[in-house]
């Protein structure tokens, strides 16, 4: 684990503990995910949090202008604290760590499921049910389409890849066929 990940996890755990004390874990999780989405989609916000040349007082004013009244008080205080500690550049890592802690507390896990074709809701429900039974957790799925798979699917979950795509099966066949 890198130093940045350790710092992110430490701050995230502190925020999670405070949110648990105030019984606002779900609300804080939603706000942190929203902030993470904004950072990912708005280059000026991303540039702002990563710019070490911005004065602390200026950071405080910008954070207050952007988020005050739009996020829970705990999140606002946390953002200001992180900024005060000159750790705003770790915010994305903190948000990812907070999400991991939240999902673990909810006995859930994220899965990215890539299919060659759009599958129906019944099939999606079945896939989630099978994964839930295998991992003994609730599955939070992100579905993606990738026609280059030709057929089948790939599932990324808990750092593992389950590849049942037609293209990978063809590759295995080619390697096996060429080997003989």
């Amino acid at each position: 684990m890198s130093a940045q990940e350790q710092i992110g996890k430490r701050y995230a755990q502190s925020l999670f503990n405070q949110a648990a004390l105030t019984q606002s874990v779900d609300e804080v999780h939603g706000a942190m995910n929203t902030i993470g989405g904004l950072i990912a989609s708005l280059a000026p916000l991303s540039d702002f949090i990563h710019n070490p040349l911005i004065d602390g007082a200026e950071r405080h004013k910008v954070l207050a202008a952007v988020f005050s009244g739009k996020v829970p008080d705990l999140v606002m205080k946390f953002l200001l604290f992180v900024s005060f500690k000159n750790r705003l550049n770790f915010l994305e890592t903190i948000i990812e760590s907070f999400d991991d802690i939240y999902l673990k507390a909810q006995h859930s896990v994220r899965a990215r499921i890539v299919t060659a074709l759009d599958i129906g809701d019944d099939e999606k429900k079945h896939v989630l049910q099978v994964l839930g039974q295998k991992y003994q957790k609730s599955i939070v799925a992100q579905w993606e389409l990738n026609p280059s798979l030709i057929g089948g699917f790939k599932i990324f979950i808990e750092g593992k890849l389950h590849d049942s795509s037609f293209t990978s099966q063809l590759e295995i066949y080619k390697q096996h066929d060429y080997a003989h």
Side-chain angles (χ1 to χ4, degrees):
M1 181 180 294
S2 73
Q4 183 166 349
E5 290 171 329
Q6 288 176 344
I7 291 167
K9 189 172 184 177
R10 197 172 325 129
Y11 276 83
Q13 187 65 60
S14 295
L15 177 61
F16 186 87
N17 292 345
Q18 276 304 124
L21 286 174
T22 60
Q23 298 179 347
S24 60
V25 172
D26 291 334
E27 184 180 22
V28 169
H29 179 253
M32 294 300 282
N33 279 347
T34 299
I35 293 168
L38 289 172
I39 294 168
S41 64
L42 297 173
L45 182 58
S46 180
D47 293 344
F48 168 76
I49 68 164
H50 291 102
N51 188 339
L53 302 177
I54 298 175
D55 174 66
E58 185 65 26
R59 280 183 194 262
H60 181 88
K61 286 193 319 193
V62 170
L63 287 171
V66 172
F67 295 112
S68 187
K70 297 176 184 116
V71 296
D73 287 341
L74 177 60
V75 173
M76 189 68 229
K77 289 176 185 174
F78 180 77
L79 290 173
L80 296 174
F81 176 74
V82 169
S83 177
F84 175 76
K85 290 294 200 173
N86 291 319
R87 299 286 196 203
L88 208 52
N89 58 321
F90 292 93
L91 190 56
E92 292 161 302
T93 305
I94 294 168
I95 292 169
E96 288 174 20
S97 294
F98 188 89
D99 188 56
D100 291 344
I101 294 165
Y102 176 83
L103 289 174
K104 187 174 183 178
Q106 300 293 320
H107 303 290
S108 298
V109 65
R110 284 204 188 282
R112 187 167 63 102
I113 305 167
V114 183
T115 60
L117 303 170
D118 192 18
I119 62 174
D121 290 340
D122 289 340
E123 289 87 359
K124 287 179 180 180
K125 186 176 178 181
H126 178 72
V127 168
L128 294 178
Q129 184 179 24
V130 169
L131 288 172
Q133 289 172 347
K134 178 178 173 121
Y135 286 91
Q136 296 296 304
K137 296 178 182 175
S138 175
I139 307 298
V140 179
Q142 174 189 347
W143 296 89
E144 296 177 19
L145 286 177
N146 184 349
S148 72
L149 295 181
I150 303 173
F153 57 88
K154 290 182 179 185
I155 299 173
F156 302 89
I157 187 169
E158 290 192 332
K160 296 177 185 162
L161 168 63
H162 302 277
D163 190 346
S164 295
S165 66
F166 188 70
T167 50
S168 70
Q169 298 303 316
L170 277 175
E171 191 61 37
I172 292 169
Y173 175 75
K174 278 198 255 181
Q175 289 174 358
H176 178 63
D177 194 42
Y178 291 140
H180 291 107

